[in-house]
Amino acid sequence: MDLEKLSDSLCFGGRQQRWRHRSATLGCEMSFSVYLPPQAEAGAPLPVLYWLSGLTCTDENFVQKAGAQRTAAQLGLILVCPDTSPRGAEVARAPDGEWDLGLSAGFYLNASEAPWASHYRMHDYVADELPSLIEAHFPASDRRAISGHSMGGHGALVTALRRPGRYRSVSAFAPICHPCDCPWGQKAFRHYLGDDESRWQAWDASVLIGQAQERLPLLIDQGEADAFLASQLRPEALVAAASAAGYPLTLRRHPGYDHSYFFIASLIDEHLHHHAKALGRLAS
């Protein structure tokens, strides 16, 4: 697979890079960002944290705003950030003004409805194609963790729950916890998956957690000043489902914090340590 390097910068002794490749899964060119900590120079495979960003974002938001590289360098973690949707002239897009559908709004699922189905297969891209590429071309092991924010938090939860054995840990900031029952999720699911709401449940963490085949370390942080908390995010639904299933879930609520990257930057180090323990980079 051909990879084109778009940028490469020294960062805390490691390399912050951006790459482009042709995705067979999505049928278009895709970009991703990767942080290689200083330990990558030795060549021994390192564990990988995959970060899924939210609505309106690209692969660059997290690496530019979260400030995760310093701690990733200390812990020896590779950070991989895919884009949030397929892109390109051949890719379907929503009408102008529809920021929560189409480009930058892939919802990390596999679409089944026209015109989306031919390109919008972000779940398979994140869970299968991208890790295969990373592990083939970078000093990356198959010890994986996954995290994300908002729509990306939904993606991290759903991807981990749908793919037992693929990840060692999962976390999220302000995730869309019950998309079947919130406006963002309902809009996306109706377009991508069709009107049969029973099919939506396969992409809803509050449903999937009750069917989980494994118990991963799961950490969620939620700001109480988040403007989307009551209408879109619905963490109480996930907590109730996890409690009913006996799934260990740590949900931390933080007064005063909103939905922004200021919130993420304030707590990202704790998430990196959460994953480093599960990935064998820290003592338990």
Side-chain angles (χ1 to χ4, degrees):
M1 182 181 295
D2 291 332
L3 284 172
E4 178 187 0
K5 186 185 291 185
L6 302 177
S7 65
D8 185 0
S9 299
L10 183 64
C11 183
F12 295 108
R15 309 301 306 187
Q16 181 62 62
Q17 300 176 342
R18 193 170 189 238
W19 295 82
R20 180 163 54 208
H21 73 108
R22 180 76 185 181
S23 168
T25 301
L26 304 178
C28 64
E29 287 193 337
M30 290 293 287
S31 298
F32 65 89
S33 293
V34 59
Y35 178 67
L36 301 172
Q39 297 87 337
E41 287 291 328
L46 297 173
V48 183
L49 173 61
Y50 290 86
W51 172 271
L52 308 184
S53 290
L55 289 165
T56 75
C57 292
T58 70
D59 58 286
E60 296 188 282
N61 291 75
F62 178 78
V63 299
Q64 293 177 352
K65 296 180 179 181
Q69 292 93 336
R70 182 193 299 270
T71 298
Q74 295 168 353
L75 296 172
L77 294 179
I78 295 175
L79 306 177
V80 174
C81 306
D83 204 344
T84 52
S85 76
R87 297 187 190 267
E90 68 271 44
V91 173
R93 61 194 66 211
D96 289 345
E98 297 282 344
W99 60 272
D100 52 357
L101 183 70
L103 301 186
S104 297
F107 267 81
Y108 303 103
L109 50 72
N110 293 335
S112 58
E113 302 299 300
W116 314 101
S118 58
H119 295 285
Y120 284 75
R121 302 189 62 81
M122 287 297 294
H123 175 75
D124 284 351
Y125 177 75
V126 165
D128 296 320
E129 185 179 11
L130 186 58
S132 294
L133 184 153
I134 295 297
E135 290 160 25
H137 293 275
F138 299 90
S141 75
D142 63 358
R143 289 175 293 150
R144 312 177 195 95
I146 192 165
S147 185
H149 170 233
S150 194
M151 177 187 72
H154 145 76
L157 296 172
V158 167
T159 303
L161 290 167
R162 286 176 59 97
R163 296 299 187 99
R166 296 286 287 173
Y167 304 96
R168 305 288 182 92
S169 54
V170 60
S171 74
F173 288 84
I176 303 172
C177 293
H178 192 19
C180 286
D181 194 29
C182 78
W184 279 342
Q186 291 169 343
K187 179 177 181 178
F189 286 3
R190 198 169 302 281
H191 282 85
Y192 295 143
L193 303 172
D195 292 331
D196 183 355
E197 297 184 13
S198 66
R199 296 168 60 190
W200 301 0
Q201 297 183 16
W203 304 99
D204 188 314
S206 293
V207 175
L208 292 172
I209 204 165
Q211 308 163 7
Q213 300 177 29
E214 63 182 354
R215 298 294 188 264
L216 297 177
L218 171 54
L219 171 65
I220 295 177
D221 279 311
Q222 176 61 61
E224 292 189 345
D226 191 321
F228 304 112
L229 176 56
S231 60
Q232 302 284 7
L233 304 181
R234 301 290 311 282
E236 70 282 353
L238 184 64
V239 169
S243 177
Y247 196 108
L249 162 64
T250 300
L251 172 66
R252 307 187 304 186
R253 293 177 176 268
H254 303 272
Y257 282 99
D258 58 19
H259 200 69
S260 72
Y261 263 86
F262 297 114
F263 174 45
I264 296 170
S266 299
L267 295 168
I268 190 61
D269 287 354
E270 296 179 34
H271 282 243
L272 294 180
H273 281 84
H274 165 79
H275 293 293
K277 289 179 181 179
L279 292 166
R281 301 301 293 183
L282 284 175
S284 300

